[in-house]
């Protein structure tokens, strides 16, 4: 019988070695080397986290705040290194969503009548 934990660890290792993670790491190093890029990204992440926490607690952020975040994202995306980071994070997110779907789909009929 297959050990699920061994396979999960193997998957984790594969993700860590993926091109997407390598791209994220490279982009982060370039951003860290540029104090202005780092400051802008840190500010964006702080605002983003604040909104996510408020949403999780049931609050609906005002429309103007969400529009402000969209504009800030667009401005940040003009920075080549930050744009590379965002694109790499998006590609990794798609992989993780796909893996979650594969796992969920494999268990979907578990409770179907026999």
């Amino acid at each position: 019988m297959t050990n699920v934990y061994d396979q999960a660890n193997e998957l984790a290792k594969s993700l860590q070695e993926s091109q997407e993670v390598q791209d994220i790491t490279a982009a982060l190093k370039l951003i860290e080397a540029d104090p202005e890029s780092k400051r802008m990204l840190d500010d964006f992440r702080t605002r983003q986290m604040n909104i996510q926490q408020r949403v999780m607690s049931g609050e609906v952020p005002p429309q103007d705040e969400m529009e402000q975040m969209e504009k800030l994202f667009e401005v940040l995306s003009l920075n080549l290194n930050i744009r590379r980071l965002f694109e790499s994070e998006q590609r990794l997110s798609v992989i993780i969503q796909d893996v979650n779907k594969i796992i969920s789909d494999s268990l979907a009929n578990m409770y179907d009548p026999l």
Side-chain angles (χ1 to χ4, degrees), residues 26-38 81:
L28 284 171
K29 285 180 183 176
L30 292 171
I31 292 167
E32 286 287 328
D34 178 8
E36 183 62 18
S37 294
K38 181 174 176 6
N81 294 325

Side-chain angles (χ1 to χ4, degrees), residues 11 17 38 43 51 61 85 91 96 113:
L11 175 59
E17 295 171 354
K38 181 174 176 6
D43 178 59
I51 290 173
L85 174 65
R91 288 193 311 272
I96 291 170

Side-chain angles (χ1 to χ4, degrees), residues 1-14:
M1 178 174 267
T2 304
N3 184 323
V4 173
Y5 294 104
D6 289 343
Q7 290 188 335
N9 285 316
E10 184 67 29
L11 175 59
K13 183 179 179 199
S14 294

Side-chain angles (χ1 to χ4, degrees), residues 105-114:
D105 288 352
S106 75
L107 301 173
N109 61 4
M110 185 169 55
Y111 292 105
D112 288 346
L114 297 177

Side-chain angles (χ1 to χ4, degrees), residues 11 31 35 42 52 57 68 73 85 88 90-92 106 108:
L11 175 59
I31 292 167
D42 288 347
Q52 287 174 344
S57 68
Q68 200 175 31
F73 178 82
L85 174 65
S88 299
Q90 178 60 34
R91 288 193 311 272
L92 181 61
S106 75

Side-chain angles (χ1 to χ4, degrees), residues 15-106:
L15 284 171
Q16 290 168 350
E17 295 171 354
S18 71
Q19 186 62 52
E20 291 75 14
V21 170
Q22 291 175 27
D23 292 346
I24 289 170
T25 302
L28 284 171
K29 285 180 183 176
L30 292 171
I31 292 167
E32 286 287 328
D34 178 8
E36 183 62 18
S37 294
K38 181 174 176 6
R39 184 197 62 74
M40 290 187 319
L41 181 62
D42 288 347
D43 178 59
F44 178 76
R45 296 289 196 207
T46 299
R47 291 178 185 209
Q48 189 178 41
M49 184 82 72
N50 180 278
I51 290 173
Q52 287 174 344
Q53 288 174 344
R54 290 173 22 221
V55 167
M56 289 174 63
S57 68
E59 183 182 334
V60 177
Q63 182 65 30
D64 63 326
E65 185 177 5
M66 297 306 293
E67 290 171 3
Q68 200 175 31
M69 286 298 291
E70 288 177 26
K71 288 177 185 173
L72 183 55
F73 178 82
E74 290 173 10
V75 169
L76 285 175
S77 294
L78 295 174
N79 178 302
L80 182 60
N81 294 325
I82 294 176
R83 183 171 65 232
R84 285 181 180 160
L85 174 65
F86 288 163
E87 289 169 353
S88 299
E89 288 175 336
Q90 178 60 34
R91 288 193 311 272
L92 181 61
S93 177
V94 168
I95 290 171
I96 291 170
Q97 289 173 7
D98 289 347
V99 168
N100 281 334
K101 183 172 180 358
I102 291 166
I103 293 169
S104 296
D105 288 352
S106 75

